[in-house]
Amino acid sequence: MARDPNIPDEFNVYTLVILRRPADAPDLPEEELDRLQSLHLAHRAALRDQGLVVANGPFLEQSDESLRGMSIFTCDLAEAARLNELDPLVIAGRLAYDVMEWWIAADTLTFPNGNAPDDRRSLPDD
């Protein structure tokens, strides 16, 4: 069978992290939540400043209220997981995360800071 012409020859592969609120997230006083949120934002900003994250931000008006935000990392899955384990809201149990590879057609997404991962692959033949 011929390869589907709608499948790109090459993909850029990114490490994507989805943050979500776990069902068993602890209830914390508002003052503590504010403090943790500030630390969380500082952690994400530091990752961006170090070139480890090229984009991140919250989800609003989503169909699943447990989904909280997303980050696109420039490192591999294991390193992205390790960095997310250091997030103060993850440590406190208020956020959990899913980490995955995101394959998109090569050269369809660019980042102004130029720190995107240089990981280009082709789908394996089945």
Side-chain angles (χ1 to χ4, degrees), residues 52-94:
L52 295 166
V53 169
V54 293
N56 65 60
F59 294 137
L60 300 175
E61 299 186 31
Q62 69 274 25
S63 61
D64 180 347
E65 287 296 319
S66 73
L67 298 175
R68 308 308 297 158
M70 181 177 92
S71 298
I72 301 173
F73 281 77
T74 61
C75 55
D76 65 21
L77 296 170
E79 180 67 1
R82 186 188 74 75
L83 294 168
N84 277 279
E85 288 294 328
L86 300 174
D87 187 308
L89 283 172
V90 172
I91 293 168
R94 291 288 296 178

